[in-house]
Amino acid sequence: MRNSQGGGLGNVSMPEWDVIVIGAGAAGLLCAIEAGKRGREVLLLEHSDTVGKKIKISGGGRCNFTNIYTNPDNFTSSNPHFCKSALARYTPADFVALVEKHGIAYHEKKLGQLFCYGSSQQIIDLLLRECMDARVEIRCGCRVLGVEKNDTFRIETNQGSIVSDSLVIASGGLSIAPLGATDFGYRIARQFGLQIEEPRPGLVPFTLTSQILKRWAKLAGVSVYALVGYDGQQFRENILITHRGLSGPGILQISSYWEPGASVSINLLPDEDMLELLMRNKSSDTELVNLLSRYLPRRFAQAWCDLYAASRPLKHYNGRELEEVARMLHNMQITPSGTEGFKKAEVTVGGVSTTELSSRTMEARRVPGLYFIGEVVDVTGQLGGYNFQWAWASAFAAGQFV
Ligand SMILES: Cc1cc2nc3c(=O)[nH]c(=O)nc-3n(C[C@H](O)[C@H](O)[C@H](O)COP(=O)(O)OP(=O)(O)OC[C@H]3O[C@@H](n4cnc5c(N)ncnc54)[C@H](O)[C@@H]3O)c2cc1C
């Protein structure tokens, strides 16, 4: 830390840093570490009382810190190519190496998702230890009141004024305000005239109309393996019917792509050819509900038949009716009334437009020295460790240049 002469305040001297990072979440911590390792003097500001609150609760307390199959296709953005460069330069193997360096035990739960065996606090401790080694100074409980740019950035905080050559915004998205989420990053982007892709909740449960909820009341609590689709995106994962609507990984995944008013398709038996199966049993005494119960939870099969196809022996259905049953099982169309919003969303879709940023450095093209990393940027990962991988990768990219 150097001392500078504060322009606006006459000759008052102000502490000056090479780099100030705002937001001590996944992205801010890693960026501070990388910049510190390069010998930069780094100050990391966090308005909450502790760092890494989302890391702490992530992955059910065990932090799904990356996904070994990370690929640009796992991300949504107005520019799907933007994430490629950063993801290629900091891979899941790079973060795994860090986890192993700190002796943290981990395992693959499913589909390439890596979790700590112990607690997600281990990841926070890892990052804090690396910050210490890289001589990063961290200040919690620090509220930023304003940012100005001349040759350098001048940041007014509740703990005084500070100056830096580079300013990194790592303040995350809007999901789950009690964990520290604010619109700070978007406000700074607007202040500097940068475009924002409208932020909206992602990885979020759907709500349903009271009419549908009433009809589905008996299904609440049932989970079914399904293929959920919308606008060319498809996910084979469980869906969960709740008292308020639909949740479960398959629904959370598709919610990041869904647009209000549209319907999503649900294939309840993606691994079966139901028409062929029903036709094969066309002359049997087996009741539809019993046949379906071989492939679906009985409670679900029963409720589904009550709602859509009053169960009777299969021999009592004609061909057209069986075709209709098969069609409804393979292509149920549901129109959500909305989502549970930022209160329940795991991520924010949208954010600082990638057209404003260099994909190599995350620096704003029109504002030299200003960087945006992590969830505040219009790059959103699917469920399964991809959002942390984007946080690490974008942070690493900026960390080499700030
Ligand atoms: C319940 C839940 C579980 C999740 N589980 C996983 C998972 O297992 N795997 C995965 O990949 N992703 C998971 N995610 C998503 C992941 O947590 C985020 O994508 C990731 O934390 C984004 O990192 P970030 O550093 O950009 O933002 P954040 O982690 O949100 O960090 C932003 C930081 O900035 C601070 N901040 C905000 N405004 C200001 C301000 N004005 N001044 C100073 N500081 C400020 C915040 O307090 C926060 O500490 C989960 C999210 C939630 C909500």
Side-chain angles (χ1 to χ4, degrees), residues 22-28 45-48 52 54 57-59 63-64 142 144 170-173 176 179-182 184 345-347 373-376 385-389 391:
I22 300 181
L45 303 180
E46 168 60 51
H47 72 152
S48 297
K54 272 196 191 161
I57 53 117
S58 68
C63 190
N64 176 195
C142 183
V144 175
S171 53
I176 321 207
L179 294 177
T182 68
F184 177 78
E346 265 193 31
V347 286
I373 56 170
E375 200 178 311
V376 74
Y386 303 107
N387 282 297
F388 279 135
Q389 188 56 37

Side-chain angles (χ1 to χ4, degrees), residues 59 62 64 79-80 96 118 127 133 154 156 172 183 192 199 205 248 261 265 273 298 311 314 377 379 386 389 391 398:
R62 294 209 152 80
N64 176 195
N79 175 3
V96 168
L127 293 164
D133 294 349
R154 176 175 153 154
E156 301 293 341
D183 65 350
F192 286 97
S265 72
D273 180 343
R298 170 158 281 277
S311 179
L314 287 168
V377 178
V379 173
Y386 303 107
Q389 188 56 37

Side-chain angles (χ1 to χ4, degrees), residues 97-381:
L98 199 53
V99 168
E100 289 179 353
K101 173 181 161 195
H102 287 260
I104 298 171
Y106 64 93
H107 69 294
E108 179 183 348
K109 201 161 168 188
K110 59 170 186 174
L111 308 168
Q113 303 167 5
L114 301 190
F115 284 75
C116 299
Y117 261 119
S119 144
S120 46
Q121 183 62 41
Q122 293 173 291
I123 300 294
I124 300 173
D125 293 343
L126 169 167
L127 293 164
L128 287 175
R129 166 58 68 89
E130 291 284 330
C131 277
M132 216 165 67
D133 294 349
R135 297 160 49 93
V136 172
E137 181 167 330
I138 302 176
R139 283 189 203 156
C140 288
C142 183
R143 278 185 297 112
V144 175
L145 308 172
V147 172
E148 271 175 35
K149 181 176 195 293
N150 292 307
D151 289 342
T152 53
F153 290 91
R154 176 175 153 154
I155 292 121
E156 301 293 341
T157 77
N158 61 332
Q159 300 176 8
S161 303
I162 19 181
V163 170
S164 69
D165 296 335
S166 297
L167 177 63
V168 182
I169 308 297
S171 53
L174 294 173
S175 353
I176 321 207
L179 294 177
T182 68
D183 65 350
F184 177 78
Y186 312 128
R187 278 191 277 124
I188 292 293
R190 284 195 194 99
Q191 177 187 334
F192 286 97
L194 308 183
Q195 225 187 302
I196 309 278
E197 300 297 337
E198 190 55 30
R200 60 188 167 83
L203 301 180
V204 63
F206 283 141
T207 52
L208 295 170
T209 61
S210 52
Q211 218 179 351
I212 302 181
L213 283 177
K214 213 184 285 168
R215 295 179 72 200
W216 283 21
K218 281 194 216 158
L219 294 176
V222 178
S223 170
V224 182
Y225 177 75
L227 177 69
V228 188
Y230 173 72
D231 194 26
Q233 294 292 330
Q234 291 195 320
F235 296 94
R236 270 172 185 269
E237 295 207 52
N238 278 359
I239 63 170
L240 173 70
I241 298 159
T242 71
H243 288 289
R244 295 177 55 82
L246 288 169
S247 189
I251 294 297
L252 299 185
Q253 295 280 33
I254 213 72
S255 72
S256 296
Y257 300 88
W258 178 74
E259 281 160 61
S263 56
V264 297
S265 72
I266 300 178
N267 182 345
L268 293 167
L269 290 158
D271 296 326
E272 308 298 331
D273 180 343
M274 283 317 286
L275 185 57
E276 191 271 330
L277 197 74
L278 291 167
M279 287 305 187
R280 211 178 337 126
N281 290 278
K282 194 170 178 303
S283 37
S284 110
D285 286 324
T286 308
E287 286 226 10
L288 177 63
V289 66
N290 291 332
L291 182 85
L292 292 185
S293 298
R294 290 182 207 156
Y295 303 93
L296 292 164
R298 170 158 281 277
R299 184 149 78 95
F300 183 88
Q302 184 65 62
W304 191 88
C305 287
D306 293 349
L307 285 172
Y308 301 110
S311 179
R312 40 188 206 268
L314 287 168
K315 67 183 183 191
H316 292 170
Y317 290 86
N318 64 35
R320 279 249 306 280
E321 287 171 324
L322 290 182
E323 273 175 31
E324 185 57 11
V325 168
R327 191 192 62 75
M328 284 194 298
L329 287 165
H330 282 313
N331 187 16
M332 213 164 103
Q333 294 288 322
I334 299 289
T335 309
S337 58
T339 73
E340 294 276 8
F342 288 115
K343 230 171 38 247
K344 294 274 170 69
E346 265 193 31
V347 286
T348 300
V349 181
V352 177
S353 172
T354 55
T355 56
E356 303 284 6
L357 308 177
S358 153
S359 61
R360 209 163 65 89
T361 65
M362 305 293 139
E363 188 176 19
R365 294 177 194 284
R366 295 188 280 154
V367 191
L370 180 63
Y371 297 75
F372 290 85
I373 56 170
E375 200 178 311
V376 74
V377 178
D378 173 31
V379 173
T380 308

